[in-house]
């Protein structure tokens, strides 16, 4: 298995632009998580899905952020419009819901908003 | 919700010495406690985990202990090596919370050769 796949790996954009981050979880995993990591705030959970359904989005910072999971093998995190304070590394992780709790992280997307 | 506190935030040791990182949690229903290691520029990766029905678990040079009564758990690394230098995160979750992890703030471990 290739593990969790994220794209792009690096994104540089200008303030006000729309940014879409993509994630493909490990096949057979039923839970998917989006995290944001910064030096100031550490590793923050933004939203997580079970069986493609959003369960907890209380970590989404504001309405500019939205996430979707149209099927079991694909999820997106969108920021519209982007702001410089959104600059961070965004990780996607997946886990099996039944019987195992380990989360496997993707390589992350480093977002820079100028 | 769950709150996880991690100490210290930075730790510097000499190669060969032991390192201990401590975490406390608030939700007595938490029953799964993983530790992740994140090297510079890389993703967090699980290094060891423990469940609430076990008090200690070892894997070569690393061990984790859990005190459910006090609601704290610790990571112990013996005979540290320079390649142990990284940021370590503890986390806690409850099985009825959909595998959602609450992470501690992280500990930057530096092993000096």
């Amino acid at each position: 298995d290739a593990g969790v796949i994220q794209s792009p790996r690096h994104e540089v954009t200008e303030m006000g632009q729309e940014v879409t981050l993509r994630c493909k979880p490990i096949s057979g995993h039923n839970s998917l998580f989006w995290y944001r990591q910064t030096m100031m705030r550490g590793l923050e959970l933004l939203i997580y899905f079970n069986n493609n359904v959003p369960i907890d989005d209380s970590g989404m910072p504001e309405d500019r952020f939205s996430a979707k999971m149209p099927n079991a093998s694909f999820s997106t995190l969108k920021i519209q419009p982007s702001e410089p304070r959104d600059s961070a590394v965004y990780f996607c992780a997946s886990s099996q819901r039944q019987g195992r709790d380990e989360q496997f992280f993707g390589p992350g997307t480093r977002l820079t908003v100028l | 919700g769950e709150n996880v506190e991690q100490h210290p935030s930075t730790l510097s040791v000499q190669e060969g010495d032991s390192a201990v990182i401590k975490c406390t949690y608030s939700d007595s229903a938490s029953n799964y406690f993983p530790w992740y290691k994140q090297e510079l520029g890389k993703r967090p990766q699980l290094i060891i985990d423990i469940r609430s029905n076990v008090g200690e678990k070892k894997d070569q040079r690393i061990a984790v202990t859990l005190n459910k009564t006090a609601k704290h758990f610790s990571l112990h690394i013996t005979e540290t090596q320079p390649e142990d230098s990284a940021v370590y995160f503890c986390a806690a979750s409850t099985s009825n919370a959909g595998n959602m992890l609450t992470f501690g703030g992280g500990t930057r471990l530096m092993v000096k050769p």
Side-chain angles (χ1 to χ4, degrees):
Chain A
D1 197 318
V4 177
I5 298 172
Q6 289 186 249
S7 65
R9 296 291 308 277
H10 302 274
E11 177 80 23
V12 180
T13 191
E14 293 190 344
M15 182 174 63
Q17 296 298 306
E18 177 180 297
V19 175
T20 299
L21 311 181
R22 298 172 176 80
C23 176
K24 176 178 167 55
I26 293 173
S27 177
H29 282 194
N30 297 358
S31 298
L32 184 140
F33 307 81
W34 282 101
Y35 292 91
R36 178 173 67 176
Q37 186 174 40
T38 61
M39 288 295 293
M40 291 298 294
R41 301 176 68 90
L43 198 59
E44 302 175 276
L45 177 66
L46 300 178
I47 185 172
Y48 81 96
F49 297 83
N50 275 348
N51 294 321
N52 313 338
V53 176
I55 303 300
D56 188 333
D57 65 354
S58 59
M60 296 286 261
E62 46 197 277
D63 292 345
R64 297 185 297 106
F65 286 68
S66 63
K68 294 182 179 179
M69 192 165 186
N71 57 63
S73 58
F74 184 65
S75 177
T76 60
L77 178 67
K78 185 176 294 186
I79 309 172
Q80 166 64 19
S82 59
E83 297 183 3
R85 60 194 168 117
D86 301 331
S87 298
V89 179
Y90 292 81
F91 287 103
C92 175
S94 70
S95 72
Q96 293 178 285
R97 183 159 190 253
Q98 299 296 333
R100 292 191 56 119
D101 302 290
E102 178 180 356
Q103 290 187 19
F104 295 83
F105 282 75
T109 295
R110 181 173 295 278
L111 173 65
T112 302
V113 183
L114 303 174
Chain B
E2 176 68 278
N3 182 50
V4 178
E5 300 281 342
Q6 183 171 346
H7 300 280
S9 57
T10 61
L11 179 59
S12 181
V13 299
Q14 286 293 138
E15 182 178 359
D17 287 350
S18 295
V20 179
I21 302 170
K22 299 181 179 181
C23 289
T24 60
Y25 60 98
S26 61
D27 187 350
S28 57
S30 289
N31 57 7
Y32 175 66
F33 307 92
W35 286 87
Y36 284 80
K37 175 183 180 181
Q38 186 178 26
E39 297 177 353
L40 189 62
K42 302 287 183 64
R43 75 191 79 185
Q45 290 192 296
L46 181 76
I47 55 171
I48 194 168
D49 57 12
I50 192 168
R51 297 186 184 275
S52 58
N53 58 346
V54 175
E56 183 177 0
K57 184 177 179 180
K58 279 187 177 182
D59 183 3
Q60 300 183 346
R61 294 186 298 108
I62 60 173
V64 58
T65 58
L66 171 65
N67 184 327
K68 287 174 55 182
T69 303
K71 290 192 282 190
H72 67 70
F73 56 113
S74 301
L75 178 71
H76 304 253
I77 306 174
T78 59
E79 300 172 24
T80 54
Q81 301 168 3
E83 52 265 38
D84 294 329
S85 296
V87 178
Y88 292 80
F89 293 95
C90 64
S93 77
T94 56
S95 57
N96 62 357
N99 297 350
M100 187 177 79
L101 292 175
T102 301
F103 283 87
T107 296
R108 182 174 299 278
L109 174 65
M110 294 169 283
V111 180
K112 294 182 282 188

